[in-house]
Amino acid sequence: MAAPVPTRRSDGRSERRLSKILAAELSRLDESVPKEMTFTENVSPRGVRVTTVRRWQPGTRVLVTFPQNGIRSKGRIVYCRRVESGNFALGIEVPWQVQRWQMLW
């Protein structure tokens, strides 16, 4: 028997997002750029969306750390979009780690 295919939602996404604001620290794995404190906007089973003051290149490998409990997750930037405030919204893919983050909320 074949595994079920996820259905797409009306917004084009296959997973539900959970709106959640959590303090996070974002850094490149090679540490060539200083760490940046930021906040999550939402999380899903495949990743997280954060806001940042810097433009990040899609494909960049990053480390997302939640300082309140030290949870650290490696990920990859999927998109970087300028938002109305002049900052940037980043979509970060971390599909194997989000389950661990549930202890944050």
Side-chain angles (χ1 to χ4, degrees):
M1 185 170 170
V5 175
T7 57
R8 292 262 175 216
R9 295 164 29 108
S10 61
D11 61 6
R13 300 185 184 274
S14 58
E15 296 91 17
R16 186 175 148 260
R17 300 310 190 246
L18 176 63
S19 179
K20 199 67 174 171
I21 298 174
L22 300 167
E25 183 180 84
L26 185 63
S27 61
R28 287 178 53 128
L29 292 180
D30 64 11
E31 298 186 22
S32 63
V33 176
K35 296 176 182 176
E36 181 177 348
M37 288 305 297
T38 185
F39 292 91
T40 63
E41 289 183 0
N42 63 55
V43 297
S44 78
R46 291 186 174 255
V48 61
R49 178 177 163 122
V50 301
T51 55
T52 178
V53 296
R54 264 195 334 257
R55 181 185 306 268
W56 291 74
Q57 183 68 33
T60 302
R61 300 283 178 187
V62 295
L63 181 65
V64 180
T65 303
F66 294 98
Q68 63 267 34
N69 63 12
I71 289 179
R72 300 164 48 121
S73 299
K74 291 179 184 177
R76 179 181 66 86
I77 295 177
V78 177
Y79 67 82
C80 178
R81 298 181 184 134
R82 186 174 292 276
V83 293
E84 289 181 22
S85 67
N87 291 337
F88 298 89
L90 303 180
I92 303 174
E93 180 183 49
V94 287
W96 58 92
Q97 297 291 329
V98 175
Q99 298 290 339
R100 289 178 46 205
W101 297 355
Q102 289 180 349
M103 68 182 75
L104 294 171
W105 58 80

